Amino acid sequence: MRTDSVRIVPEAADEARRYIQEIYGPEYVPSDAKQYSTQKSAQDAHEAIRPTNLNHSPEAIKPYLTREQFLLYQLIWRRFLASQMVPAIYDTVSVDLMGGEGILLRATGSIMKFPGFLAVYEEKHDDEEKEDDNRLLPDLKEGQSLLLQELTAE
């Protein structure tokens, strides 16, 4: 099937919401089923690609699939389920660290408060080290001493 539609039938959304509530809990289910807007250039003749039955998890059917089939099915299954879950919640924080001879260092990033859809699907980036805007910081306390490994004035 060829489609770039994001539309799903209400029965599929309802099935996803029931599955999410049963497996992950009610806090992962949004108050209303999520619906996404289709781009003007999308060929919306067919429903979005999705699993026909969420109870056929990738792990359950893995023995019957080739490696490539499994990876594709796992991607479709996880993305579909994640698309019907609440978003992840982060606290954005800045940390000022004193190091060396009065040198102030600042780290900015975020701390995850609630995983939301990330409990099912987290997109991996090819070049994660350049993802400066989405760095996760460790849990730090005010006044906490840290071990300085190296400090250069660059």
Side-chain angles (χ1 to χ4, degrees), residues 9-127:
V9 294
E11 295 83 10
D14 291 343
E15 178 189 6
R17 293 168 60 77
R18 283 191 302 274
Y19 186 89
I20 293 164
Q21 180 153 345
E22 180 182 319
I23 301 300
Y24 296 95
E27 63 274 13
Y28 286 87
V29 182
S31 57
D32 295 317
K34 291 191 165 195
Q35 295 181 358
Y36 296 92
S37 301
T38 302
Q39 296 177 354
K40 287 183 180 181
S41 62
Q43 295 182 5
D44 195 27
H46 299 281
E47 183 185 6
I49 296 172
R50 64 171 178 83
T52 56
N53 184 340
L54 287 171
N55 292 316
H56 296 150
S57 70
E59 292 73 26
I61 65 170
K62 185 176 183 176
Y64 308 103
L65 304 174
T66 66
R67 181 179 185 280
E68 291 78 18
Q69 290 170 335
F70 169 74
L71 292 173
L72 179 60
Y73 183 74
Q74 182 181 52
L75 175 68
I76 292 167
W77 190 88
R78 287 181 176 176
R79 293 272 315 236
F80 171 70
L81 198 59
S83 76
Q84 295 302 309
M85 295 174 83
V86 296
I89 299 172
Y90 293 91
D91 274 346
T92 303
V93 295
S94 291
V95 178
D96 290 339
L97 305 167
M98 294 300 297
E101 309 252 340
I103 298 174
L104 176 68
L105 304 170
R106 174 166 288 156
T108 57
S110 43
I111 297 172
M112 183 183 297
K113 299 291 279 185
F114 179 73
F117 73 92
L118 295 174
V120 174
Y121 179 79
E122 185 169 1
E123 193 168 314
K124 301 291 183 203
H125 299 282
D126 290 338
D127 200 1

Side-chain angles (χ1 to χ4, degrees), residues 90 107-110 122-137:
Y90 293 91
T108 57
S110 43
E122 185 169 1
E123 193 168 314
K124 301 291 183 203
H125 299 282
D126 290 338
D127 200 1
E128 287 193 36
E129 290 193 20
K130 293 187 179 180
E131 296 282 327
D132 287 340
D133 293 339
N134 291 323
R135 287 183 293 188
L136 288 177
L137 296 177

